[in-house]
Amino acid sequence: MTREESAPLDPPTAYARLREEAPISRVSLWGGRATPWLVTRWEDARTVLANPAFSSETSRPGYPNAVEDAPEMPPGYFFAHDDPAHDSFRRILTREFMVKRIEALREPTTKIFEQLLDKMTDSDGPVDFVEAIALPLPSLVICELLGVPYEKHDFFQSHSKVLIDSAVTGEQKAAAHQALGDYLEQLVEEKRRVPQDDLVSRLGESVNAGTLSVRDAADVGAFLLFAGHETTANMIGLGVLALLEHPDQIHRLFAGKAELANAVEELLRYLTIAHTGLNRVALDDVTVGDVTIRAGEGVIILLNSANRDTDAFSDADVLDLARSNARQHVAFGYGIHQCLGQPLARMELQTVLPQVFTRLPNLRVEPGAVRFKQTSAAYGPSFMPVTW
Ligand code: HEM
């Protein structure tokens, strides 16, 4: 289902009708060769995502992969695996994404933003905001956290795009996994010899201690590198666009720490960049609402529909940065796979968004010139010319 051209920040209008009339219904995938269930309501989305009878194993028969010939996911891409395999990786990383660790990156993130903005405002504009700020900022921060040299950004950004694009072949996706994994493997080996204070070095220590294989360490690093920049980049771009459309609410970014945090939650809810939903396959027969999903059947949980469900959020189609229950959104998923990087994403958004409007009070987007990534699992602008 496609979005209305006139409302690129809103989900397709068909979702509202589905929530009302057929909240869990069949959809057609791969030219009709698969007919997974589509879950559209907030409550049902949480029910499915919290139930271990719905598996994340992408290679199980019935799993509704975006492309029919999707390659098998390496173990290090642990979002695509169930416990205990998933948990064994997630546990190694929990400390890395603790709020305290991430807070230490707030200052460097501010500096990175200032440098990027100084560079952008050196020219007269219009400038592509995606290329100048939205994409390099989270890329530089994740490079800092992982210990990956930023000079490799063209390489990892282009492969990351392939991993979440539904308009490419499974073969292209497999090649992207391979290339990212090979590069990270080389980096893990270097850091095993000369460790530094970064996440890839700590993965290298786990290899030295015999708790991880070199390839698994490399794939975990590659997964974090990709998950850590493509996502937040889209949220920065969309967040700026949404605020420019609602200039009367920009002051909420400056109303205090709690108000800023809430504003970011509301933007995450309203914009829900994981717009193609989360995929699962049933391991047992499970009844959700009025529907019995049989073992082996695929399920797509539409997060951007769930986050616009009026049973969960009053006036759900309205952006209200002061909304009292914004934090109940499922933009980061729900259950055991809920986004590990959310403290990092929140910190980046809370740092960048107020600064954009402080430094660029006259920021404008060229009307009608913004282009969006329609076939990417992470929705956002691909081109966003701005003046200031
Ligand atoms: C606004 C930005 C972000 C959004 C909206 C987002 C969204 C999500 C969602 C919806 C999931 C759940 C996947 C599932 O259940 O199948 C997820 C998982 C994950 N995210 Fe994020 N993410 C963001 C930023 C980040 C960042 C900055 C990182 C840092 C590396 C990250 C790392 C991860 C990881 C490692 C997982 C897998 C967790 C698991 O399976 O246990 N994400 N993310």
Side-chain angles (χ1 to χ4, degrees):
M1 288 167 230
T2 48
R3 296 171 190 250
E4 301 291 312
E5 228 169 89
S6 58
L9 304 188
D10 287 325
T13 48
Y15 294 178
R17 189 176 40 78
L18 283 174
R19 281 196 302 274
E20 201 54 43
E21 293 169 10
I24 303 180
S25 52
R26 296 269 193 186
V27 279
S28 159
L29 202 65
W30 313 337
R33 283 184 293 282
T35 53
W37 295 97
L38 194 67
V39 174
T40 57
R41 283 189 182 162
W42 179 83
E43 200 180 334
D44 293 339
R46 300 211 328 169
T47 301
V48 170
L49 290 171
N51 188 340
F54 291 101
S55 167
S56 286
E57 296 283 346
T58 53
S59 50
R60 268 184 200 280
Y63 185 94
N65 279 299
V67 295
E68 189 169 5
D69 61 342
E72 210 165 295
M73 285 285 183
Y77 286 73
F78 53 91
F79 79 95
H81 299 285
D82 295 339
D83 284 348
H86 156 264
D87 188 52
S88 68
F89 286 102
R90 182 150 176 148
R91 220 164 336 131
I92 293 173
L93 297 166
T94 309
R95 286 184 54 231
E96 302 288 346
F97 290 92
M98 282 186 340
V99 173
K100 217 171 121 195
R101 273 262 169 104
I102 299 302
E103 275 310 303
L105 286 170
R106 204 177 273 267
E107 191 68 34
T109 303
T110 303
K111 288 219 172 77
I112 289 170
F113 171 79
E114 281 166 357
Q115 282 163 6
L116 291 171
L117 197 91
D118 287 346
K119 198 168 150 217
M120 177 177 118
T121 49
D122 269 352
S123 86
D124 291 336
V127 164
D128 177 12
F129 187 80
V130 175
E131 202 187 317
I133 309 272
L135 185 57
L137 184 120
S139 303
L140 280 153
V141 175
I142 196 72
C143 280
E144 171 93 17
L145 184 78
L146 292 176
V148 170
Y150 181 69
E151 300 80 78
K152 298 293 287 185
H153 67 100
D154 281 343
F155 165 79
F156 68 74
Q157 285 166 352
S158 58
H159 287 302
S160 298
K161 270 200 194 95
V162 172
L163 292 184
I164 52 169
D165 196 337
S166 58
V168 303
T169 62
E171 215 173 299
Q172 284 169 295
K173 282 181 189 279
H177 277 302
Q178 186 71 32
L180 283 171
D182 288 352
Y183 170 62
L184 259 296
E185 193 167 321
Q186 197 188 316
L187 199 65
V188 169
E189 290 293 15
E190 273 171 34
K191 286 176 190 276
R192 284 176 73 191
R193 285 191 297 274
V194 191
Q196 280 149 343
D197 182 14
D198 57 49
L199 202 156
V200 173
S201 294
R202 287 186 284 278
L203 289 172
E205 279 164 25
S206 297
V207 176
N208 290 343
T211 48
L212 269 186
S213 72
V214 181
R215 191 63 192 190
D216 284 353
D219 285 333
V220 169
F223 170 36
L224 294 177
L225 183 59
F226 132 74
H229 77 276
E230 251 305 316
T231 45
T232 314
N234 291 305
M235 254 319 285
I236 293 173
L238 286 185
V240 167
L241 286 174
L243 289 163
L244 286 173
E245 274 189 12
H246 298 83
D248 55 317
Q249 295 197 45
I250 292 175
H251 71 98
R252 299 287 311 174
L253 303 178
F254 306 99
K257 223 172 147 186
E259 287 79 0
L260 169 61
N262 200 70
V264 165
E265 297 310 312
E266 173 66 351
L267 287 165
L268 285 160
R269 179 196 74 83
Y270 184 75
L271 298 164
T272 313
I273 58 154
H275 71 145
T276 52
L278 300 178
N279 301 342
R280 299 290 190 263
V281 56
L283 299 176
D284 300 314
D285 293 357
V286 185
T287 300
V288 185
D290 295 337
V291 168
T292 298
I293 299 170
R294 302 280 171 204
E297 290 181 341
V299 185
I300 299 173
I301 303 105
L302 270 186
L303 302 181
N304 60 344
S305 173
N307 278 340
R308 296 290 188 104
D309 185 344
T310 46
D311 285 345
F313 305 99
S314 57
D315 292 327
D317 285 327
V318 173
L319 178 75
D320 173 9
L321 297 189
R323 183 182 294 279
S324 60
N325 69 340
R327 225 190 140 99
Q328 300 264 302
H329 67 73
V330 287
F332 286 126
Y334 189 70
I336 62 164
H337 290 281
Q338 199 183 57
C339 181
L340 178 68
Q342 55 187 290
L344 177 60
R346 288 194 167 105
M347 181 280 287
E348 290 175 324
L349 292 165
Q350 291 166 9
T351 305
V352 171
L353 293 174
Q355 288 193 79
V356 165
F357 292 96
T358 306
R359 290 280 310 268
L360 307 170
N362 297 318
L363 184 68
R364 295 281 174 278
V365 176
E366 303 255 304
V370 183
R371 288 202 295 271
F372 294 92
K373 301 174 196 171
Q374 305 291 355
T375 60
S376 171
Y379 185 69
S382 55
F383 177 65
M384 185 177 153
V386 295
T387 52
W388 53 90

